[in-house]
Amino acid sequence: GENVEQHPSTLSVQEGDSAVIKCTYSDSASNYFPWYKQELGKRPQLIIDIRSNVGEKKDQRIAVTLNKTAKHFSLHITETQPEDSAVYFCAARGPTQGGSEKLVFGKGTKLTVNP
Amino acid sequence: DSGVTQTPKHLITATGQRVTLRCSPRSGDLSVYWYQQSLDQGLQFLIQYYNGEERAKGNILERFSAQQFPDLHSELNLSSLELGDSALYFCASSVDPGARTEAFFGQGTRLTVV
């Protein structure tokens, strides 16, 4: 089945710097890669996603890149702000046995943005 | 508000007991996922249902079971509870997993086993 590895597990940056979080996946059939942000005690919320037919997607200060050949995708946050501090999860979804799909998450990256 | 409703928000129970967690997906969503999140842990996939049928299984214990009803709400049953089952349980819903659409999470049920 699908396995998603996420690095680093913790990341501390100064306000205004960039942050990069990387994920790799195992199932080459995976075709959808969302990123979620989870603040303490709250539900995960989608911040950006990318589909397998696209190599890069941007939304203001957030961008995601996908390399299907290498089976890895990354989240880039520029001009970080203290409110970006949270746990970020990457995920991959693709076909599993029997034609069903499951959404598998990485273990998360705790991002701290220091003022 | 994601539109996904989970009840109860908090649950405290004793070891050996059985509990039922409930999830109502967003209107129009046919797929429901269940996840377990322990302290400082990631989101462990438990099980997925689509339009009433089980579609995928993750690391779900035999003591746990789930179902999705005709009105599309889902229930996760946890039995013979152990201290290690204490966690946040999230459900998420999406329109159709095959459509590569966003999964929306509920607020979660915090289960404490004492």
Side-chain angles (χ1 to χ4, degrees):
Chain A
E2 176 67 278
N3 182 50
V4 177
E5 304 246 346
Q6 183 172 347
H7 300 280
S9 56
T10 60
L11 180 59
S12 182
V13 300
Q14 289 299 122
E15 184 176 359
D17 287 351
S18 294
V20 180
I21 302 170
K22 299 182 179 182
C23 289
T24 59
Y25 60 99
S26 60
D27 189 345
S28 56
S30 289
N31 55 18
Y32 175 65
F33 308 91
W35 286 88
Y36 284 80
K37 176 183 180 181
Q38 186 180 28
E39 296 175 352
L40 192 63
K42 297 190 176 180
R43 64 184 171 90
Q45 290 190 274
L46 183 79
I47 55 171
I48 195 167
D49 57 13
I50 192 166
R51 288 160 176 80
S52 57
N53 57 346
V54 175
E56 183 176 3
K57 184 177 178 180
K58 280 186 180 179
D59 183 3
Q60 299 182 351
R61 296 185 297 108
I62 294 172
V64 58
T65 58
L66 171 64
N67 183 329
K68 285 212 72 182
T69 303
K71 291 190 284 186
H72 68 69
F73 56 114
S74 301
L75 177 72
H76 304 252
I77 306 174
T78 59
E79 300 171 22
T80 54
Q81 301 166 2
E83 50 266 39
D84 293 330
S85 297
V87 178
Y88 291 81
F89 292 96
C90 63
R93 182 161 69 197
T96 60
Q97 195 172 25
S100 63
E101 299 185 357
K102 58 181 179 180
L103 187 61
V104 178
F105 284 82
K107 292 193 181 299
T109 296
K110 184 174 182 179
L111 173 65
T112 303
V113 180
N114 301 300
Chain B
D1 183 8
S2 67
V4 180
T5 304
Q6 287 188 249
T7 56
K9 288 184 180 175
H10 302 277
L11 195 51
I12 301 175
T13 190
T15 54
Q17 295 298 304
R18 172 188 169 95
V19 297
T20 297
L21 312 183
R22 182 188 169 101
C23 171
S24 294
R26 290 190 322 151
S27 177
D29 284 0
L30 300 177
S31 190
V32 170
Y33 304 82
W34 284 98
Y35 290 89
Q36 179 191 57
Q37 187 175 45
S38 302
L39 193 64
D40 293 333
Q41 293 294 309
L43 292 155
Q44 296 295 318
F45 172 72
L46 295 177
I47 198 163
Q48 177 206 358
Y49 281 84
Y50 175 72
N51 203 21
E53 293 187 4
E54 181 184 305
R55 289 291 289 260
K57 241 178 180 176
N59 298 322
I60 187 166
L61 299 172
E62 285 190 12
R63 300 183 286 108
F64 296 0
S65 65
Q67 55 183 335
Q68 186 178 29
F69 294 87
D71 67 352
L72 300 178
H73 91 270
S74 179
E75 293 181 355
L76 179 67
N77 301 296
L78 315 176
S79 61
S80 303
L81 284 168
E82 302 175 358
L83 295 178
D85 297 328
S86 296
L88 250 181
Y89 290 84
F90 285 104
C91 84
S93 75
S94 65
V95 172
D96 176 350
R100 297 179 290 172
T101 54
E102 175 181 355
F104 292 86
F105 279 79
Q107 296 282 18
T109 293
R110 182 169 294 282
L111 172 67
T112 303
V113 182
V114 297

